[in-house]
Amino acid sequence: MRGPPSWYLKKSAWSKCRRAVLRPPRNAARSLSLNPLCRLTTAFILGSVCALPPRLPQASDWPTPPSSRICTLDQVLDGDSMRLTCKGKSVEVRLHCIDAPEYEQIPWGKQSRHHLRKITPRKVELKTIEIDQFGRTLGEVYTTEPSRRFLNLEQVVGGHAAVYEHYCSDPAFTRAQRKARKAGLGIWSKPGAQQTPWVFRHRKGS
């Protein structure tokens, strides 16, 4: 009687080898050493696994805040920051691209905060840029009415804040500041440290 066909023997040998690699018996080392097909298969599997590159961290591994959300105003802290409630969570927001006079820079700090209070409605739209080193949300704040006003920019238009050029690349802000400065509005009405709040803070800190 004829034996099993060659394709069956090959298939059977492959099955035994696969079982030996995936579920090795006690004498697996001996079985693999005696079977050339198993040696070749094992080398291929181990080589493929070792050749896989390590998984690098992906951006999706870290949670990111929503880029845009409707929030309720709680408090205007000064001319370039406010506290909002977004979906029940309190969020301290630093307005992107601008730097307002410090509160002790009288009367500029008070005037800047008063103007931001005046133009900020109860409901606003917050667009998150990033989270800064102090845990504050660096963002853009817009009104929600159909005319949609950009509050960061309006602080500059009225001369109530300077453009923080080191962190801002939006040409709309530099154009608005140029016009406010030429018209002598707000902080541009007379020379002084109110025009460069970042320098004032640095000197105060030192």
Side-chain angles (χ1 to χ4, degrees):
M1 187 174 75
R2 296 180 59 186
S6 58
W7 62 265
Y8 178 82
L9 293 176
K10 291 180 180 179
K11 182 178 179 180
S12 177
W14 166 249
S15 299
K16 291 179 181 178
C17 179
R18 183 175 61 180
R19 285 197 299 271
V21 173
L22 298 180
R23 296 192 300 276
R26 292 181 179 179
N27 60 346
R30 183 172 180 273
S31 299
L32 293 175
S33 63
L34 296 177
N35 193 324
L37 176 61
C38 286
R39 290 203 304 270
L40 180 62
T41 303
T42 303
F44 175 78
I45 293 176
L46 294 177
S48 300
V49 172
C50 295
L52 290 175
R55 181 183 180 276
L56 298 177
Q58 303 296 316
S60 58
D61 292 340
W62 291 276
T64 55
S67 60
S68 183
R69 44 192 163 163
I70 302 299
C71 305
T72 303
L73 174 67
D74 287 335
Q75 182 183 6
V76 172
L77 303 174
D78 52 36
D80 56 24
S81 62
M82 59 180 66
R83 185 172 288 110
L84 306 175
T85 295
C86 306
K87 293 185 177 180
K89 181 181 179 181
S90 180
V91 180
E92 185 174 342
V93 180
R94 178 72 161 78
L95 301 186
H96 180 54
C97 263
I98 73 174
D99 198 0
E102 297 298 309
Y103 194 68
E104 58 264 40
Q105 291 185 275
I106 300 171
W108 316 107
K110 288 184 177 181
Q111 290 176 354
S112 179
R113 184 177 69 171
H114 174 74
H115 185 260
L116 185 57
R117 280 177 174 172
K118 183 180 177 181
I119 65 175
T120 306
R122 184 69 174 162
K123 294 288 184 181
V124 295
E125 179 185 346
L126 170 63
K127 181 180 179 182
T128 298
I129 304 298
E130 64 180 2
I131 306 299
D132 71 9
Q133 58 182 330
F134 304 107
R136 300 174 301 182
T137 296
L138 187 66
E140 299 175 348
V141 179
Y142 300 85
T143 60
T144 57
E145 70 253 16
S147 55
R148 189 176 160 83
R149 292 175 293 124
F150 185 12
L151 301 186
N152 304 45
L153 186 59
E154 287 206 11
Q155 282 292 85
V156 176
V157 169
H160 298 288
V163 178
Y164 212 164
E165 295 181 354
H166 185 70
Y167 300 100
C168 184
S169 58
D170 188 339
F173 281 85
T174 54
R175 289 194 298 266
Q177 178 169 278
R178 195 180 305 119
K179 291 180 180 179
R181 193 167 193 166
K182 186 176 181 179
L185 302 177
I187 62 175
W188 310 111
S189 60
K190 62 170 63 175
Q194 76 277 359
Q195 297 177 355
T196 53
W198 52 90
V199 175
F200 175 82
R201 286 194 301 274
H202 178 73
R203 289 175 179 171
K204 180 184 175 183
S206 61

